[in-house]
Amino acid sequence: MEPLHTYTKTELTDLIVGKLRRNFGRDVDEATGAHMFKACALVLRDIMSAHELETEDRVKDTHARQVHYLSLEFLMGRSLMKNAYNLGVVEALTEAIEGLGFNAADLFETEPDAGLGNGGLGRLAACYLDSMTTLDIPARGYSICYELGIFKQKIVDGQQVELADNWLGLGDAWLIPKVDETETVHFGGKVKEQWDENGRHRVVYEGGTDVLAIPKDMEIAGYGTDHVNVLRLWDAKSPVPVDMSLYSRGEYLKAVEQQAMAEVIAKVLYPDDNHYEGKSLRLKQQYFFVSATAQSIVRKHRVQYGTLRNFHQKHVIQINDTHPTLVIPELMRILLDEEGYGWDEAWHIVTHTVAYTNHTVMIEALERWPQELVSSLLPRIWEIILEISGRWQNRLTEAFHGDMSKVEHNAIVWGGDVRMANMCVCTCFAVNGVSALHSDILKKDLFRDLYQLTPEKFQNVTNGIDHRRWLSECNPKLDALIRDCTGGDDYLLRPDALKKLEQFQDDAGVLSRLQQIKAENKRSFAAYVARESGILLNTDAIFDVQVKRLHEYKRQLLNVLHIIYLYQHIKNDPHFQFTPRVFLFGAKAAPGYAVAKQIIHLINSLAATVNADPACKDRLQVVFLENYRVSLAEKLMPASELSEQISTAGKEASGTGNMKFMMNGALTIGTLDGANVEMHEVLGDENIFLFGLKAHEVQELRHRGYKPYEYYMHSGDLKAVLDQLTRGFDDGVSYTDITNRLLFGAGGSADEYLLLADFESYRAAHQRAGQVYLDQRQWNRVSLLNIARSGIFAADRSIRDYAGNIWKVPTKEL
């Protein structure tokens, strides 16, 4: 492979000026910031397009096996800086932009986040695309081109309000429509079976609706390579033209009704599914994107090979969580109905093509679809699911010697529901969890019976993050220190080179520089917060951060209970020993998740009271960061000092925020949950602040009978905290509902996530963290060790694990 061309400031300037003139009819002096941003994006897109065509030719010529990564979420964030970084042109592009009279930093900031995901799942998919490309794996991501990404969060009177997140205004500069590769997806109607004169079985549809899936490709540049992969985002359009006769009669809404019904599929990320219409739309989204994807992969394969009999040798389809599960019956449909293969041959191909990554152990999060919805919306797919389910049930009945309780637990169709996770485990050639603990729980608990049936399927691939984005790119000062200490930028492609930092753990000069970098990053983040919200952060206090999706199992509420405890002690005891803290929260709650939204309201009620109280000045501050997103995280991670990873043990599959904090030198306060377990393994007890029940102890406590009210009655501190919740704060809002939920339950278990059981242990861990912080040399030493041992959590390592153990594809040798 030839070395990458390095673009100069002059070359990029000429290319940008050319784009402004040809695409926007503007000279530089007439161009707005939006024109300038789009021109820069189009220049980088052209560079990547040339590489993409070369990559496609190489893949075709070498008949390489391709990876297809299916995910309903890709939380890409911003792309201009990322693509410039991976293409090695950040400096030249910055100089070109400045030379043309624009502020480069402001221009990078104008780009909207491509928020096509909720949180960890979508961000993981984005990190994996970067690593697959960097490691020269022929790969594609597939999802929906949502017009509106995850909502923009506004806090009004302390409460979350959701605003539309229309990212395509500027973001579509990265998208290349490929109209000639449009696929048609069919919904509804009736299925008719026919046999032709040769006795060949055919399936035809009567009635129903077609929706066109139009691909919009976003190119993904790898770091230090001219290999370029693609994220294919499917847009939905109606094949039916507008009915002009209705227009002429003045029936305007009816005239465009067909179009609107089709296009709603790609309108919004995850509609609320607490009503029938939302459920129906979500299922439509899932089938729309997997059907278009499967058809697209098959079409290209058939053109190259003329047969699908070698399909499984040339492709692997990785299902990211259960959302793309319908690719299984859809691939069967194509092989049976369009190719005319028999069931056994089709099943062999599908079961050697598709692999499944599980992302949750929570039963309520494992997708189930009402069979009436599936059968009415997808009649042919329903027939195929029924056949898969029937054959599977026969196998289960035989394997479990007629034990119907085991058959019921592991069946695909049962009790009026279609269970997507069970379909994945039945069909896929590999099933993996995303941390050692999580994979263990899959084998011993969630899929215990199926693990005993097919142990060879089950694997672990611990998640990882794009360390180039989440360390080097977002924390340039720390990057410079790492390069100085490790002898260059070797770590960018060999993340285990971070280990070289360990030899400086007692080097006063290096530790002092690390402390200085953190202080500068804190000041920089504080300046950003002041600009955005007018809030002045106390940069002398510990920046204690909990940012992630708001869900009860992630236990933002435990953090809140502890803050109330601190506040009460500061008020009641003038001699209370406490290391000053700024507690920073960032979280979006799903629009239909009432308790999560109430917790956001609570955090803001508490913040208003604490921050207005003179007793807390320079000691305690609470700030809720509005509209948490990738670009905000990139500013926050380098400034963070204490990372809150406090989910109930056994609930968090892995976590990836924990890894980003660790790489940026924050210390973790956490339970032994998800990837925290592996972090603890590489860090040891002394370099992480552990607390709380372990996963097996959680099970034992539940088995014995957990009584949170007893903790309340026996702890004066806890009683005072919960009584304060009931009374509320200065805004006069009472949180009795939350208190009752903890003590007595609300249609479910009381304190389902064991906050009261873990409270005392959590409080003590915070005290330990505060003590260590007072010894800045020791804190900086532990911070350095966290960075040095974080290389194992790079996405490059995860992708090498997938490539070697599951996908069986080669990766670039370094």
Side-chain angles (χ1 to χ4, degrees):
M1 229 178 263
E2 293 177 22
L4 285 171
H5 175 71
T6 12
Y7 287 82
T8 63
K9 172 192 172 183
T10 308
E11 284 177 297
L12 288 176
T13 302
D14 291 346
L15 290 169
I16 292 166
V17 169
K19 283 289 175 197
L20 285 170
R21 287 177 174 165
R22 284 192 303 278
N23 290 58
F24 305 105
R26 302 277 164 137
D27 277 321
V28 175
D29 55 354
E30 303 170 290
T32 64
H35 292 131
M36 191 64 181
F37 166 79
K38 284 200 166 187
C40 291
L42 291 172
V43 166
L44 297 192
R45 204 179 86 179
D46 285 352
I47 296 169
M48 292 189 291
S49 289
H51 290 322
E52 190 213 329
L53 293 173
E54 292 162 12
T55 302
E56 270 188 27
D57 288 343
R58 270 199 307 274
V59 173
K60 202 174 283 182
D61 293 346
T62 58
H63 299 283
R65 190 176 205 209
Q66 297 170 56
V67 175
H68 305 277
Y69 197 86
L70 275 61
S71 179
L72 256 192
E73 299 186 34
F74 279 90
L75 203 53
M76 301 302 289
R78 293 170 173 164
S79 293
L80 185 60
M81 171 66 90
K82 179 60 187 169
N83 285 328
Y85 181 91
N86 276 3
L87 293 167
V89 298
V90 171
E91 204 172 318
L93 181 65
T94 301
E95 289 171 1
I97 292 167
E98 301 276 351
L100 290 168
F102 286 80
N103 181 299
D106 289 348
L107 198 72
F108 288 130
E109 276 292 314
T110 62
E111 181 175 8
D113 282 51
L116 311 183
N118 274 310
L121 184 82
R123 187 53 231 164
L124 180 82
C127 285
Y128 279 2
L129 277 184
D130 180 276
S131 282
M132 284 186 260
T133 312
T134 298
L135 296 174
D136 288 357
I137 295 172
R140 280 195 166 205
Y142 299 86
S143 194
I144 293 175
C145 189
Y146 303 105
E147 183 183 320
L148 306 174
I150 189 170
F151 58 86
K152 283 182 184 165
Q153 182 193 54
K154 196 95 187 128
I155 300 298
V156 178
D157 296 331
Q159 298 182 73
Q160 170 178 296
V161 175
E162 300 95 23
L163 304 177
D165 172 29
N166 194 337
W167 68 284
L168 284 169
L170 287 176
D172 69 353
W174 300 111
L175 301 179
I176 304 173
K178 299 270 180 79
V179 181
D180 57 317
E181 294 185 38
T182 296
E183 303 291 350
T184 302
V185 180
H186 186 77
F187 294 99
K190 287 191 167 59
V191 177
K192 295 280 185 185
E193 297 185 77
Q194 298 175 349
W195 280 261
D196 62 20
E197 64 276 8
N198 301 317
R200 186 179 160 185
H201 176 256
R202 298 188 64 80
V203 172
V204 292
Y205 300 99
E206 289 183 356
T209 313
D210 285 342
V211 177
L212 298 180
I214 300 167
K216 295 191 171 177
D217 288 355
M218 181 185 281
E219 287 155 332
I220 308 295
Y223 176 79
T225 177
D226 62 5
H227 187 98
V228 167
N229 285 323
V230 165
L231 169 59
R232 173 156 284 191
L233 300 170
W234 295 103
D235 196 11
K237 298 289 177 199
S238 170
V240 181
V242 170
D243 188 333
M244 294 309 293
S245 65
L246 288 169
Y247 253 115
S248 60
R249 295 203 299 270
E251 296 180 46
Y252 307 125
L253 288 178
K254 203 160 185 197
V256 295
E257 183 179 16
Q258 192 87 35
Q259 278 192 315
M261 291 304 288
E263 291 172 15
V264 74
I265 289 173
K267 186 66 73 176
V268 66
L269 170 80
Y270 286 166
D272 263 354
D273 67 350
N274 48 13
H275 42 69
Y276 182 85
E277 290 75 10
K279 271 194 174 62
S280 173
L281 178 52
R282 197 179 281 201
L283 187 62
K284 270 186 182 170
Q285 287 182 330
Q286 293 188 1
Y287 181 65
F288 168 77
F289 116 85
V290 300
S291 176
T293 298
Q295 291 182 65
S296 172
I297 299 167
V298 164
R299 192 181 303 283
K300 288 185 177 179
H301 180 91
R302 201 191 290 109
V303 167
Q304 185 170 5
Y305 294 104
T307 176
L308 294 188
R309 289 196 158 84
N310 64 343
F311 186 82
H312 56 292
Q313 292 159 0
K314 298 300 175 187
H315 303 276
V316 58
I317 293 174
Q318 188 71 42
I319 295 178
N320 191 35
D321 213 353
T322 51
H323 311 127
T325 303
L326 290 173
V327 77
I328 292 167
E330 174 64 7
L331 206 45
M332 286 297 289
R333 182 194 68 78
I334 293 169
L335 294 168
L336 295 169
D337 299 355
E338 295 179 14
E339 302 298 320
Y341 291 4
W343 182 275
D344 291 344
E345 190 173 9
W347 186 246
H348 178 82
I349 292 168
V350 172
T351 54
H352 288 79
T353 301
V354 187
Y356 163 53
T357 301
N358 173 281
H359 283 276
T360 183
V361 297
M362 295 202 293
I363 300 295
E364 66 272 20
L366 291 172
E367 282 190 306
R368 295 173 174 224
W369 291 105
Q371 68 180 54
E372 309 86 62
L373 182 61
V374 179
S375 60
S376 62
L377 203 58
L378 311 168
R380 179 58 179 149
I381 292 302
W382 168 241
E383 289 180 352
I384 293 168
I385 289 172
L386 266 185
E387 184 66 24
I388 294 171
S389 177
R391 288 169 181 248
W392 178 237
Q393 202 163 307
N394 290 341
R395 188 179 168 195
L396 293 176
T397 306
E398 188 181 333
F400 300 137
H401 310 294
D403 181 344
M404 293 314 288
S405 64
K406 286 188 175 182
V407 173
E408 176 184 350
H409 183 70
N410 297 292
I412 294 170
V413 177
W414 195 281
D417 282 338
V418 181
R419 301 161 175 182
M420 305 308 253
N422 286 352
M423 193 178 347
C424 289
V425 182
C426 157
T427 312
C428 295
F429 70 85
V431 175
N432 74 281
V434 290
S435 72
L437 175 69
H438 172 231
S439 296
D440 216 32
I441 291 171
L442 295 187
K443 293 175 191 174
K444 291 179 180 171
D445 186 10
L446 197 65
F447 300 130
R448 182 181 65 241
D449 303 329
L450 302 181
Y451 172 65
Q452 288 165 0
L453 203 58
T454 52
E456 69 284 353
K457 279 190 182 189
F458 286 79
Q459 304 211 30
N460 174 59
V461 181
T462 297
N463 281 345
I465 58 170
D466 169 10
H467 68 293
R468 290 170 287 274
R469 182 176 200 135
W470 290 106
L471 198 169
S472 174
E473 197 186 321
C474 76
N475 199 344
K477 289 170 180 156
L478 181 56
D479 173 66
L481 175 63
I482 292 168
R483 289 170 191 241
D484 289 349
C485 291
T486 62
D489 64 0
D490 194 34
Y491 88 97
L492 294 177
L493 288 172
R494 297 179 183 83
D496 57 347
L498 287 168
K499 285 179 183 163
K500 294 178 188 174
L501 286 174
E502 286 214 34
Q503 62 194 311
F504 298 97
Q505 61 182 288
D506 296 312
D507 185 314
V510 169
L511 295 181
S512 168
R513 190 170 156 199
L514 184 65
Q515 181 178 343
Q516 187 183 339
I517 289 166
K518 185 62 77 176
E520 288 171 11
N521 287 338
K522 286 172 73 176
R523 285 195 292 273
S524 173
F525 183 72
Y528 166 79
V529 170
R531 278 197 310 276
E532 290 294 305
S533 66
I535 296 168
L536 302 177
L537 301 181
N538 174 18
T539 53
D540 294 326
I542 303 175
F543 275 18
D544 182 314
V545 184
Q546 188 174 18
V547 287
K548 52 185 78 242
R549 193 164 46 91
L550 210 141
H551 195 293
E552 287 170 279
Y553 85 84
K554 294 179 184 286
R555 300 204 296 188
Q556 284 93 345
L557 186 54
L558 177 59
N559 193 346
V560 168
L561 297 182
H562 176 245
I563 297 169
I564 296 171
Y565 160 85
L566 293 175
Y567 177 54
Q568 289 178 334
H569 279 260
I570 287 170
K571 292 287 284 178
N572 298 335
D573 179 5
H575 305 296
F576 179 56
Q577 290 298 305
F578 165 65
T579 311
R581 276 179 182 66
V582 174
F583 287 97
L584 295 163
F585 291 88
K588 289 179 179 177
Y593 192 169
V595 179
K597 292 175 104 168
Q598 195 178 19
I599 291 169
I600 288 176
H601 195 186
L602 167 61
I603 293 168
N604 285 299
S605 287
L606 175 61
T609 297
V610 165
N611 299 342
D613 194 324
C616 296
K617 186 170 166 50
D618 298 331
R619 298 194 73 193
L620 184 62
Q621 192 175 11
V622 183
V623 176
F624 187 90
L625 301 165
E626 188 178 72
N627 198 33
Y628 182 61
R629 59 201 183 280
V630 174
S631 54
L632 176 53
E634 288 170 337
K635 296 176 176 66
L636 175 61
M637 294 294 170
S640 302
E641 291 175 294
L642 196 58
S643 157
E644 300 267 356
Q645 306 299 330
I646 60 176
S647 51
T648 315
K651 290 294 181 187
E652 185 71 86
S654 166
T656 50
N658 47 3
M659 301 167 185
K660 292 163 194 159
F661 283 112
M662 182 185 184
M663 274 189 182
N664 283 280
L667 277 55
T668 299
I669 181 164
T671 49
L672 276 172
D673 196 26
N676 289 0
V677 174
E678 285 142 287
M679 286 166 56
H680 172 242
E681 278 174 15
V682 298
L683 289 170
D685 288 346
E686 62 283 5
N687 299 313
I688 186 170
F689 302 107
L690 290 180
F691 74 93
L693 298 165
K694 299 178 178 67
H696 70 93
E697 292 169 337
V698 167
Q699 299 289 1
E700 287 163 13
L701 177 59
R702 290 215 170 99
H703 187 68
R704 288 198 309 270
Y706 174 51
K707 300 183 177 65
Y709 195 77
E710 290 181 1
Y711 287 84
Y712 170 79
M713 291 307 295
H714 292 120
S715 165
D717 286 333
L718 254 182
K719 188 173 188 308
V721 166
L722 292 176
D723 290 349
Q724 177 80 59
L725 266 188
T726 303
R727 286 195 305 277
F729 300 91
D730 291 354
D731 60 3
V733 178
S734 161
Y735 293 95
T736 310
D737 285 357
I738 293 179
T739 311
N740 288 341
R741 197 175 178 83
L742 289 172
L743 294 178
F744 311 112
S749 309
D751 189 15
E752 186 178 352
Y753 299 107
L754 309 184
L755 281 68
L756 305 195
D758 275 351
F759 177 82
E760 186 50 40
S761 176
Y762 178 57
R763 188 199 61 74
H766 260 287
Q767 205 166 17
R768 291 199 304 277
Q771 283 301 116
V772 175
Y773 194 78
L774 295 175
D775 180 350
Q776 276 292 289
R777 186 186 170 99
Q778 174 61 7
W779 184 273
N780 295 324
R781 181 178 172 277
V782 176
S783 174
L784 187 83
L785 288 173
N786 268 262
I787 301 163
R789 296 176 189 177
S790 66
I792 192 174
F793 299 113
D796 290 3
R797 189 268 316 143
S798 303
I799 292 302
R800 284 189 188 279
D801 287 352
Y802 274 108
N805 301 333
I806 295 176
W807 302 337
K808 308 298 182 192
V809 295
T811 56
K812 180 166 68 181
E813 292 301 320
L814 297 175

